Amino acid sequence: MKALGIDIGGTGIKGAVVDTKKGHLITDRLRLLTPEPATPEAIAATVAQVARHFEWDGPIGCTFPGVVKGGQVHTAANLDKAWIDLDAAGLIGQATGCPVTIVNDADAAGEAEARFGAARGKPGVILTITLGTGIGSALVVDGRLVPNTELGHLTLRGGDAEQWAANSVRERLELDWDEWASRVDEYLRMVEDLLWPDLFIIGGGVSKKADRFLPKLTCRTPVVPAELLNQAGIVGGALAVHRHKDKHGTEGQHVPHKHKG
Ligand code: BGC
């Protein structure tokens, strides 16, 4: 089974065709810059450009960096606020002419890790934390995702935790690895006191440099880097195409009418 997975991020929009049974990319990855301003129309047009590049006419699974329920966006902390309350699956479905499912980016990464990566076959409470522009979270309990946990917005030091410990903060303030690791550690210790997970998986682009900061962490929960690295969003997005049907129909999916002729 194949789907086009598209990862919509604050700086790049990445896509590839994914074998959703095996969890691999079956084409090269295409990365386009996120348009600025990152308005819904501009992003939908960029996603359509990715779909055209792959001459794609099948299901598309997209990730989005905000709360998404039933194809509708509810929050957009690091993107244009015009996304809020928008039927994103409908908009991108119209722009591409393909059936579109849309899910939170960290949830997509967490599901991909649960099925094919660092949490494959592992029972228990597993939290994937993505450290990027913001902080994303995916809670998987015995293989089943609890979506939209948004633990990046817990309060830490009187403010939004992602504004203290995200990877973008390390870059902006030019923190060294020790300084930043201690911020991440403080954050993970707060989260583990709340949920007592069995495992933390650290995702986001910085997980490629896990050896620089994971050994400095002191939290009690074991911490491992994501295995799918920068493919997790694309694979997880594509997996969302097969999400179970609920009473509202296919979860978050928009199926456009095809015009013949
Ligand atoms: C958003 C989350 C998202 C995370 C990572 C946060 O600011 O609220 O929905 O998963 O950033 O992109």
Side-chain angles (χ1 to χ4, degrees):
M1 283 201 276
K2 289 193 290 186
L4 178 63
I6 297 192
D7 192 8
I8 299 177
T11 55
I13 296 185
K14 295 164 267 180
V17 180
V18 176
D19 177 326
T20 54
K21 275 255 148 68
K22 297 190 179 136
H24 309 150
L25 307 196
I26 49 182
T27 61
D28 284 344
R29 205 172 68 114
L30 175 70
R31 182 180 191 276
L32 299 177
L33 288 178
T34 303
E36 276 183 46
T39 59
E41 291 69 26
I43 289 202
T46 308
V47 173
Q49 206 181 328
V50 177
R52 277 199 304 277
H53 168 87
F54 291 105
E55 299 178 352
W56 188 252
D57 191 27
I60 299 181
C62 275
T63 72
F64 184 84
V67 171
V68 186
K69 285 169 85 82
Q72 191 182 355
V73 167
H74 290 269
T75 70
N78 298 303
L79 281 187
D80 195 286
K81 299 296 175 239
W83 282 97
I84 297 173
D85 294 336
L86 192 86
D87 170 16
L91 179 75
I92 298 173
Q94 243 140 41
T96 57
C98 296
V100 170
T101 307
I102 176 155
V103 292
N104 173 262
D105 56 356
D107 284 344
E111 281 215 296
E113 291 297 327
R115 297 260 324 265
F116 302 111
R120 186 180 43 239
K122 290 204 167 84
V125 176
I126 299 180
L127 254 182
T128 299
I129 299 288
T130 63
L131 301 169
T133 309
I135 295 184
S137 60
L139 176 62
V140 171
V141 184
D142 290 335
R144 182 149 182 157
L145 176 77
V146 180
N148 294 311
T149 44
E150 292 292 317
L151 301 180
H153 300 296
L154 289 172
T155 300
L156 182 62
R157 296 197 170 229
D160 208 24
E162 72 175 18
Q163 291 180 17
W164 173 255
N167 189 46
S168 58
V169 177
R170 179 183 69 82
E171 292 173 344
R172 195 176 64 245
L173 303 183
E174 297 180 5
L175 301 176
D176 66 28
W177 290 103
D178 277 334
E179 288 169 313
W180 184 62
S182 82
R183 291 184 177 213
V184 172
D185 199 35
E186 192 178 339
Y187 172 68
L188 294 179
R189 290 167 66 133
M190 171 173 70
V191 172
E192 71 182 356
D193 285 346
L194 194 65
L195 288 167
W196 285 80
D198 298 300
L199 180 67
F200 279 126
I201 299 175
I202 301 296
V206 75
S207 58
K208 279 182 277 190
K209 299 182 186 149
D211 56 324
R212 308 277 184 92
F213 65 100
L214 289 199
K216 302 179 194 292
L217 301 178
T218 68
C219 52
R220 75 175 89 84
T221 310
V223 189
V224 295
E227 283 180 11
L228 291 148
L229 300 175
N230 57 7
Q231 299 187 352
I234 296 175
V235 173
L239 291 180
V241 159
H242 305 301
R243 279 215 181 158
H244 65 279
K245 291 194 180 221
D246 62 16
K247 63 180 190 301
H248 307 294
T250 305
E251 162 105 8
Q253 193 178 68
H254 169 85
V255 182
H257 298 294
K258 296 253 172 181
H259 299 288
K260 292 233 166 81

